[in-house]
Amino acid sequence: MATVSQWIEGARPRTLPNAVAPVIAGTGAAAWLGAAVWWKAGLALVVSLALIVGVNYANDYSDGIRGTDDVRAGPLRLVGSKVASPRSVLIAAVISLLLAAAAGLALAILTNPWLIAVGVVCIAGAWFYTGGSKPYGYLGFGEIAVFVFFGLVAVLGTQYVQALAVDWVGAVAAVVMGSLSSAVLVANNLRDIPTDTESGKITLAVRLGDARTRTLYLTLLAVAGLGTLGLALATPWCLAGLVAAPLAVRASRPVTTGKGGPALIPVLRDTGLTMLVWSIAVGVALTVG
């Protein structure tokens, strides 16, 4: 039976900034329109956190029963390491996704019913990333999905449920969040190229190969930097987002120096911290600017 600490590790806390940062950025974008609604931001945060925990447990379950995680360089996986049964991890995934659905349904009812369809697509995307007979995460589309769901949908959705509108500021913030969130997955899949190749998991990193995957990671960081400069057209205070640059540099160092395997694990943490610090700085800038 898995311990509490193992269940927490299985939820992959290093990925939680991918859920928190887009909501902060989207709330800042709503505040820029003079329409921040804090309790709606709180509900959006519940949706985002529950969704990413559900995704992580669902991936643990699906990859575990396929045998993808039998040989792994990354953090603990509950099913792959056999510290928890597949059924218990599946239940944890379902509970998390149901919580996301409940909070999302409340937001949709209080905002606009068509958002229910968006929620259904998000939950389907969470499950079929590694679940089902043809998971899209095994076909190289994971980074695109992360960009869409934890970038465009998360930021613009958070802005919309509060302001009932989206604008170019929210769109640029969404691109920045999507790029950094995708960079987290790129770093994860870069680390796992050898084991994913062996298990038949054809991620984008496997398709691109080691060198081009490292280039992709750095490109995504560059897009985030350019987006920050673009937001300065709204208010120069958004240049405060550059305070996250040292974290981005630290995150990129193992990538640029050719590190592999477990040495790439800190890249996930530092890229996530880059997202979080950027979202706070820019969110505050948009609120007061």
Side-chain angles (χ1 to χ4, degrees), residues 247-276:
L247 284 169
V249 171
R250 187 173 76 177
S252 66
R253 191 167 293 120
V255 177
T256 57
T257 56
K259 295 292 193 300
L264 288 169
I265 293 175
V267 179
L268 280 69
R269 177 201 63 205
D270 291 338
T271 309
L273 287 174
T274 301
M275 289 183 66
L276 191 57

Side-chain angles (χ1 to χ4, degrees), residues 15-288:
T15 65
L16 295 186
N18 294 56
V20 177
V23 175
I24 295 174
T27 300
W32 173 252
L33 295 178
V37 182
W38 302 107
W39 65 268
K40 283 191 173 183
L43 270 179
L45 182 60
V46 171
V47 173
S48 193
L49 283 170
L51 190 62
I52 201 164
V53 171
V55 168
N56 289 336
Y57 281 139
N59 292 349
D60 192 308
Y61 167 78
S62 297
D63 284 343
I65 62 174
R66 282 190 171 89
T68 306
D69 290 335
D70 289 350
V71 179
R72 181 172 170 79
L76 172 79
R77 285 295 186 98
L78 297 166
V79 177
S81 61
K82 298 180 172 58
V83 299
S85 69
R87 183 174 183 273
S88 64
V89 177
L90 176 60
I91 290 172
V94 170
I95 290 173
S96 299
L97 294 176
L98 285 175
L99 177 59
L105 181 62
L107 268 177
I109 291 173
L110 294 167
T111 305
N112 196 317
W114 65 261
L115 291 172
I116 295 174
V118 177
V120 170
V121 172
C122 288
I123 290 176
W127 176 255
F128 289 109
Y129 173 54
T130 56
S133 59
K134 292 184 178 180
Y136 64 84
Y138 280 58
L139 300 174
F141 298 114
E143 285 79 2
I144 295 174
V146 166
F147 182 88
V148 171
F149 292 123
F150 288 101
L152 304 184
V153 174
V155 175
L156 294 177
T158 299
Q159 184 184 31
Y160 180 80
V161 297
Q162 296 176 68
L164 298 181
V166 297
D167 68 345
W168 74 269
V169 170
V172 173
V175 169
V176 172
M177 286 290 95
S179 297
L180 291 174
S181 196
S182 294
V184 173
L185 183 58
V186 169
N188 181 80
N189 290 341
L190 172 63
R191 180 199 66 211
D192 291 341
I193 285 177
T195 54
D196 284 345
T197 302
E198 183 179 342
S199 64
K201 185 176 182 180
I202 311 301
T203 63
L204 181 60
V206 171
R207 291 184 182 277
L208 292 177
D210 186 277
R212 286 189 292 179
T213 300
R214 294 176 192 271
T215 300
L216 174 60
Y217 176 85
L218 298 174
T219 300
L220 290 168
L221 292 188
V223 169
L226 290 173
T228 305
L229 298 178
L231 285 173
L233 297 175
T235 170
W237 288 108
C238 283
L239 292 176
L242 296 176
V243 72
L247 284 169
V249 171
R250 187 173 76 177
S252 66
R253 191 167 293 120
V255 177
T256 57
T257 56
K259 295 292 193 300
L264 288 169
I265 293 175
V267 179
L268 280 69
R269 177 201 63 205
D270 291 338
T271 309
L273 287 174
T274 301
M275 289 183 66
L276 191 57
V277 170
W278 187 93
S279 68
I280 293 171
V282 172
V284 170
L286 291 172
T287 300
V288 302

